[in-house]
Amino acid sequence: MVAGLDEKLEPIFQDVLRRNPGETEFHQAVREVLETLGPVLVKYPELAEQKIIQRICEPERQIIFRVPWQDDRGQIQINRAFRVEFNSALGPYKGGMRFHPSVYLGIIKFLGFEQIFKNALTGLPIGGGKGGSDFDPKGKSDAEIMRFCQSLMTELYRHIGEHTDVPAGDIGVGGREIGYLFGQYKRITNRYESGVLTGKGLNWGGSRARTEATGYGAIFFLEEMLKVRGDSIEGKTCVVSGSGNVAIYAIEKAQALGARVIACSDSNGVVVDQDGIDLALLKQIKEVERRRLSAYVQERTGATYLENGCIWTVPCQIALPCATQNELTAKDAQSLVRNGCIAVAEGANMPTTPEGIHVLMDAGIAFGPGKAANAGGVATSALEMQQNASRDSWSFEYTEQRLKEIMVNIHRNCYETSEEFDSKGNYVVGANIAGFLKVGHAMAALGLV
Ligand code: NDP
């Protein structure tokens, strides 16, 4: 089902498998990139001589540490945390922290690897990194979250810094967690170093439009893909998986541009609301009350809740996977195709399986891969770092405008690169090659480090 590897790249991939046993998500992310790099080595043999691909697949540094903390009953709990500092050729390591029970080294490495190329695509001076913990924030009190974040930062602080490594949020890590992490960093170091974390609150160094950035950015990228096809998002029926940060703001921007968003989900089920998702209600339930999505239908009688349902069976013209990795399989892709879907833009990281991507592309669906389509989040984090460095604070309109320009540029870069490498309109090829070339040339220029 998936494409084969170039004969020069197969041994490199075999080496990645051998050196990183059991890390299936990392293998998947590496393979997807290597599948597109064959023509690059032909055009730029010096990158092969410099062993840039082998070097890029090996993180510069990996930190794994214990996080002990006490729960509200006084019981001692132990979690494991990770920070993978993957590549700093273009700038300080940059990438979020994920708190989810599924987290292990293979997930953090897949995310860190993707982050290298994504960050390169933004055109901003940021390297790639990622971190997280197998801590499950669900059902925890505020006080437990705070104690966990403080314990985690008590180790992490020695590895990060505004010029070294700048973490942010991801699944399970939002403004509340960034606050507790920043507070502990400040306390330990006795430095008000705003640029050490992004996703901060607006009155203590955060950037306007950062909360909205990943979701909005995915819609801006989608708009550009549709424009190429002489189409637009206006009047289209959309479904958005997830109901967290990325999903909520993808829904907000899609609705603002005239789309009808009729479904969203969480890990327990799917809400279908043919009248259009009531965004104010969704925000109240998820952001304010931190309840499960099933609460939506208690307030909105016209909507239905499908316990353990599959969102990709809901007929739509546009699908936006905004929850987690490998949530859209070949079978799901087939049902999207059957129902007349015309575009998929990935708000999440690697949400579509390789087989799923194959089905979508074969059917001629416009497909925006996460490392391009969801780059608006990290791009706006880099804008937050710029504001921190100049002790400035930009307006929402200005920051959103910068985000939009960045997304338009990423789209153009991916599209033109896909054309240059004889795969016009294939954004997977375009994103991988454009991102790789930027980092690869920088690595070559920096010598053997
Ligand atoms: P949130 O924690 O805010 O929301 C995650 C959403 O996805 C929740 O609705 C959650 O449901 C659902 N979800 C998470 N894990 C699973 C799972 N295993 N199965 C089914 N549903 C799941 O995270 P974000 O919105 O920040 O992140 C979503 C995706 O976007 C991730 O892939 C992340 O890496 C990516 N991303 C995020 C960026 C950001 O700026 N936040 C930037 C770029 C990419 P439940 O509550 O039931 O767990």
Side-chain angles (χ1 to χ4, degrees):
M1 281 291 277
V2 289
L5 280 180
D6 180 281
E7 59 175 21
K8 286 204 196 69
L9 292 164
E10 183 63 39
I12 298 177
F13 184 61
Q14 289 305 322
D15 218 32
V16 168
L17 292 180
R18 187 181 58 75
R19 290 162 64 86
N20 305 279
E23 297 176 358
T24 50
E25 295 84 359
F26 178 51
H27 303 161
Q28 182 183 334
V30 170
R31 188 178 172 101
E32 192 237 78
V33 170
L34 296 197
E35 273 169 10
T36 58
L37 294 185
V40 178
L41 295 187
V42 176
K43 193 161 179 186
Y44 300 97
E46 67 276 19
L47 295 180
E49 273 159 39
Q50 290 279 330
K51 298 219 165 148
I52 295 295
I53 298 180
Q54 292 90 325
R55 282 156 62 186
I56 232 171
C57 291
E58 184 68 22
E60 290 176 15
R61 189 178 300 110
Q62 309 183 53
I63 301 144
I64 304 180
F65 55 100
R66 179 175 70 198
V67 186
W69 58 282
Q70 223 167 3
D71 67 20
D72 286 346
R73 294 168 305 142
Q75 300 291 313
I76 290 173
Q77 304 285 342
I78 312 291
N79 284 97
R80 181 177 293 173
F82 307 84
R83 188 73 191 166
V84 175
E85 298 180 334
F86 227 116
N87 195 296
S88 60
L90 297 178
Y93 311 105
K94 182 90 199 82
M97 295 289 290
R98 174 176 292 192
F99 293 172
H100 193 271
S102 64
V103 163
Y104 76 109
L105 187 58
I107 287 193
I108 300 302
K109 276 163 73 175
F110 119 63
L111 291 164
F113 184 75
E114 293 268 301
Q115 200 83 44
I116 303 171
F117 306 97
K118 180 190 308 193
N119 293 4
L121 285 172
T122 66
L124 298 164
I126 40 179
K130 198 82 188 189
S133 172
D134 56 6
F135 173 75
D136 186 357
K138 276 199 199 96
K140 302 290 190 297
S141 69
D142 264 6
E144 288 175 321
I145 301 275
M146 182 178 76
R147 286 196 293 274
F148 174 78
C149 288
Q150 289 180 338
S151 179
L152 183 140
M153 186 52 86
T154 302
E155 172 61 32
L156 186 66
Y157 89 96
R158 51 185 110 245
H159 308 290
I160 62 176
E162 61 182 328
H163 300 297
T164 312
D165 183 357
V166 183
D170 191 80
I171 290 177
V173 178
R176 174 181 56 170
E177 291 74 18
I178 294 294
Y180 295 147
L181 291 167
F182 184 69
Q184 183 73 350
Y185 182 86
K186 183 174 78 60
R187 179 197 205 183
I188 296 174
T189 59
N190 195 30
R191 279 166 64 86
Y192 204 102
E193 189 185 331
S194 302
V196 70
L197 286 167
T198 59
K200 298 183 292 297
L202 289 185
N203 51 356
W204 44 277
S207 172
R208 293 191 178 81
R210 174 60 188 95
T211 305
E212 294 82 357
T214 310
Y216 278 23
I219 301 299
F220 293 146
F221 191 90
L222 169 70
E223 265 196 309
E224 294 304 301
M225 290 201 299
L226 292 172
K227 230 184 253 171
V228 168
R229 296 171 173 230
D231 207 341
S232 87
I233 188 174
E234 196 180 348
K236 298 288 188 302
T237 305
C238 301
V239 304
V240 179
S241 68
S243 49
N245 172 263
V246 179
I248 286 175
Y249 292 95
I251 296 173
E252 182 165 286
K253 186 51 80 179
Q255 289 182 341
L257 295 174
R260 201 166 68 95
V261 183
I262 57 161
C264 62
S265 62
D266 67 9
S267 56
N268 296 118
V270 177
V271 158
V272 181
D273 189 340
Q274 293 294 346
D275 293 334
I277 295 290
D278 178 339
L279 190 63
L281 175 60
L282 184 66
K283 283 185 180 178
Q284 177 67 23
I285 291 170
K286 300 306 295 186
E287 294 185 335
V288 181
E289 297 166 7
R290 297 181 188 274
R291 290 159 76 196
R292 306 303 297 156
L293 185 62
S294 51
Y296 183 95
V297 291
Q298 291 159 17
E299 315 285 332
R300 191 113 155 142
T301 44
T304 47
Y305 180 69
L306 314 168
E307 179 107 35
N308 296 321
C310 172
I311 193 165
W312 313 122
T313 60
V314 179
C316 65
Q317 292 161 295
I318 291 169
L320 297 153
C322 296
T324 195
Q325 64 275 357
N326 292 328
E327 56 165 318
L328 200 167
T329 64
K331 188 165 158 253
D332 301 326
Q334 279 152 4
S335 93
L336 288 175
V337 171
R338 248 192 330 271
N339 288 327
C341 179
I342 58 163
V344 174
E346 294 187 327
N349 284 310
M350 208 169 75
T352 316
T353 64
E355 297 80 6
I357 295 175
H358 203 78
V359 170
L360 297 175
M361 289 218 196
D362 269 3
I365 288 178
F367 177 74
K371 56 171 90 64
N374 72 35
V378 74
T380 308
S381 275
L383 301 182
E384 183 173 332
M385 290 162 73
Q386 282 185 28
Q387 292 169 76
N388 294 153
S390 57
R391 300 190 187 278
D392 199 357
S393 173
W394 305 340
S395 70
F396 190 93
E397 293 68 27
Y398 176 73
T399 317
E400 187 185 2
Q401 189 50 37
R402 291 280 304 263
L403 165 66
K404 181 154 188 186
E405 285 162 13
I406 290 167
M407 296 313 296
V408 169
N409 285 338
I410 293 174
H411 174 273
R412 188 187 310 116
N413 190 4
C414 293
Y415 190 79
E416 288 175 0
T417 307
S418 75
E419 262 183 319
E420 185 188 337
F421 286 86
D422 297 326
S423 303
K424 189 171 169 176
N426 182 332
Y427 295 97
V428 175
V429 167
N432 287 346
I433 295 182
F436 173 78
L437 284 176
K438 178 135 200 228
V439 183
H441 287 313
M443 287 172 73
L446 296 181
L448 190 52
V449 288

